[in-house]
Amino acid sequence: MGQQENIKKNVIWNTCGSVFYSVCQWLLTAIVIRGASYEAGGVLSLAMTTSSSFSAISLFSMRNYQVSDLKGEYSSNEYVGSRMMTCIAAFTCCAIAAIYNNSWEQMLCIDAFMLVRVAEGWVDVMHGIDQKYQRYDYIGKSYFLRGLISLIVFSGGLFFTGNLLLTLCLMALGNLAAALFYDTKKTGSLERITPVLFQARVFQLLKTCLPIVAFTFLLSLENLIPKKILEEQYGQAELGIYSAMANLAVVVQVFASVVFNPFLPKFTELYYQEDRRQFRRALHKLYLVLAGMCVIVNLGVFVFGKLGLRILYGADILQYYELFLPIVWCTIFTAVIWIVSAILIALRRIGWLVAGMAVDFVLCLVLASPLIERFGKNGVSIVQILVMGIYILFMIVMCEIAANKQKRKKASGKDEEINNNTCL
């Protein structure tokens, strides 16, 4: 009973904090559209989406690997040291990429928001250590703190200065301060952190996680490229309208991902135990939960969708309501991919994960432009629904193959043991 209560508390802290932070991030788009224009919303969306793609480098997709490292393959100091290196690399790459095909305002806004992503990257590795000590209260409070800082500084900065770039710079400084003075201090009270840099084991850790980075980066580009094509074909205002809808639906994605996060070590533990029956049962139960989530979210959209959009953006946004349901499906599919991919990473089936995403990304490149030209703003969602739906089926097949393979290994081991006993 005590363990069940602990799991519930962990889920509540992790979920409430993460969802609150996500809502605050989403509200930035609502604030800039209400206070400025759809064009400003388009600039913010471009900054958020572009920096999100490069956050794959700062995060290095290491969190799932870190929390499923039950055998202690790498130390906390090695995880933290590698994160310092990846955060610097991510900001440098994003700053260089932002120069291409962007105005000065767009470029600097992207750079400013990338500093927020760097703060997220640093906090993420600290949270991995917090999770090891079951201190989800530190994780939840961190999300609440950074969410409030983002919301208050952004609202105040935009109100008093009317300058989006200056506002984003102030918000970035607030997030970096919270990461250094709250998260680093709290995690340091659990374990003395002395980052290890430029050593063989750190490079080995980065090499191990590099394929996961490729997967995450390609998945991010599947979201970015259709939006960029939409902006090129129809203009920044049309991107702002689409993003206003899309950012609302992201809350669903974050909610699904963070609720699952505390259970990932348990999945890993079940998989590496002798009896695989519980693992398979948990895996199939997860499929049912994800299917149920799809049904519940769609019902919520049909009942509350128009009301919510009207309250947040005003009645004018309802003329674009046909965009909302496809966007919600994109969000659901993205959440499912994050959850199922975390299991494949825990099972160390990383090669298949990356190979499947590479094929899926090529399919996205082929379909994006013609579908957006044919269906306009809805084409952005349609192309993502198609390619992500195919990829989800692929991942489920890979999970089942992994579970069945382990089952056959176990059966083979038993047969060998019987034969040896018979010989004796």
Side-chain angles (χ1 to χ4, degrees):
M1 184 68 180
Q3 187 178 5
Q4 285 282 65
E5 285 295 319
N6 193 41
I7 290 175
K8 286 180 182 177
K9 287 180 181 178
N10 290 343
V11 171
I12 290 171
W13 270 114
N14 200 57
T15 303
C16 292
S18 301
V19 171
F20 178 80
Y21 180 76
S22 176
V23 169
C24 290
Q25 290 278 303
W26 159 75
L27 280 172
L28 303 183
T29 304
I31 291 168
V32 79
I33 288 175
R34 283 279 198 175
S37 63
Y38 282 121
E39 286 80 2
V43 173
L44 178 62
S45 174
L46 183 65
M48 295 175 78
T49 306
T50 305
S51 62
S52 178
S53 297
F54 286 94
S55 71
I57 299 174
S58 64
L59 294 169
F60 223 73
S61 303
M62 202 175 287
R63 179 68 177 276
N64 289 331
Y65 194 94
Q66 182 183 7
V67 299
S68 63
D69 184 7
L70 302 182
K71 299 177 182 178
E73 299 171 65
Y74 298 96
S75 69
S76 296
N77 292 333
E78 288 163 344
Y79 281 112
V80 174
S82 67
R83 185 56 52 89
M84 291 180 69
M85 294 165 62
T86 58
C87 282
I88 294 170
F91 182 80
T92 303
C93 291
C94 183
I96 293 171
I99 298 172
Y100 175 72
N101 204 27
N102 289 305
S103 66
W104 275 100
E105 182 191 12
Q106 289 174 327
M107 180 188 73
L108 294 174
C109 284
I110 290 169
D111 292 342
F113 214 98
M114 190 63 216
L115 289 175
V116 177
R117 304 300 186 192
V118 167
E120 291 174 349
W122 179 257
V123 166
D124 179 74
V125 75
M126 295 295 152
H127 286 181
I129 300 171
D130 296 339
Q131 189 169 344
K132 172 182 162 185
Y133 290 93
Q134 298 292 303
R135 293 311 303 258
Y136 286 85
D137 54 331
Y138 289 176
I139 297 174
K141 290 172 185 176
S142 169
Y143 279 125
F144 278 114
L145 175 62
R146 288 180 295 118
L148 283 173
I149 288 173
S150 296
L151 193 59
I152 292 170
V153 173
F154 187 84
S155 302
L158 203 61
F159 179 79
F160 287 109
T161 70
N163 187 303
L164 179 62
L165 174 59
L166 178 58
T167 298
L168 289 178
C169 289
L170 293 172
M171 187 180 75
L173 290 175
N175 276 266
L176 288 169
L180 292 175
F181 297 114
Y182 176 81
D183 289 281
T184 306
K185 183 179 177 181
K186 285 294 185 181
T187 304
S189 69
L190 300 174
E191 183 177 329
R192 185 175 179 180
I193 304 298
T194 307
V196 176
L197 297 168
F198 305 109
Q199 291 190 9
R201 283 185 55 78
V202 175
F203 286 112
Q204 180 60 42
L205 173 59
L206 293 173
K207 181 180 177 182
T208 301
C209 292
L210 186 59
I212 313 175
V213 178
F215 154 76
T216 306
F217 188 65
L218 291 177
L219 180 60
S220 299
L221 287 180
E222 281 193 359
N223 180 41
L224 173 62
I225 288 174
K227 287 183 178 179
K228 195 67 180 172
I229 291 173
L230 176 67
E231 183 194 22
E232 290 172 355
Q233 291 187 2
Y234 293 94
Q236 205 168 80
E238 293 295 293
L239 175 62
I241 294 167
Y242 181 87
S243 299
M245 297 278 195
N247 288 339
L248 175 60
V250 166
V251 178
V252 177
Q253 175 187 324
V254 173
F255 179 79
S257 301
V258 301
V259 167
F260 173 73
N261 193 263
F263 294 100
L264 183 57
K266 188 63 179 176
F267 268 86
T268 309
E269 185 181 329
L270 286 173
Y271 182 74
Y272 287 107
Q273 287 174 350
E274 289 298 322
D275 187 4
R276 300 292 185 264
R277 184 180 301 173
Q278 290 297 324
F279 172 77
R280 291 172 60 80
R281 184 179 298 172
L283 191 61
H284 294 158
K285 189 181 291 185
L286 175 65
Y287 298 155
L288 291 175
V289 169
L290 293 176
M293 178 189 73
C294 293
V295 173
I296 292 170
V297 170
N298 276 278
L299 287 174
V301 169
F302 283 120
V303 175
F304 301 110
K306 288 186 177 181
L307 177 63
L309 289 170
R310 185 186 294 114
I311 292 171
L312 292 166
Y313 296 119
D316 289 347
I317 198 71
L318 295 183
Q319 61 185 303
Y320 308 108
Y321 182 71
E322 74 278 359
L323 300 174
F324 194 47
L325 188 58
I327 287 172
V328 169
W329 273 97
C330 288
T331 305
I332 292 171
F333 279 16
T334 305
V336 172
I337 288 175
W338 280 118
I339 291 171
V340 181
S341 68
I343 293 178
L344 285 172
I345 292 168
L347 304 186
R348 303 303 188 246
R349 296 297 192 273
I350 299 170
W352 285 108
L353 190 74
V354 179
M357 177 49 65
V359 174
D360 204 60
F361 177 69
V362 172
L363 185 61
C364 177
L365 289 178
V366 171
L367 295 177
S369 188
L371 285 176
I372 292 170
E373 187 175 348
R374 171 69 177 82
F375 296 102
K377 292 186 288 293
N378 256 334
V380 177
S381 301
I382 291 170
V383 66
Q384 291 181 77
I385 290 171
L386 285 173
V387 298
M388 287 193 291
I390 292 170
Y391 190 63
I392 288 169
L393 292 175
F394 168 77
M395 287 196 300
I396 290 174
V397 170
M398 290 301 102
C399 284
E400 292 300 316
I401 289 174
N404 287 327
K405 186 176 180 181
Q406 291 295 333
K407 188 176 180 182
R408 287 195 298 272
K409 276 186 178 180
K410 183 184 173 186
S412 176
K414 283 185 176 179
D415 291 342
E416 187 177 342
E417 184 180 345
I418 292 170
N419 290 334
N420 289 338
N421 290 336
T422 303
C423 292
L424 290 172

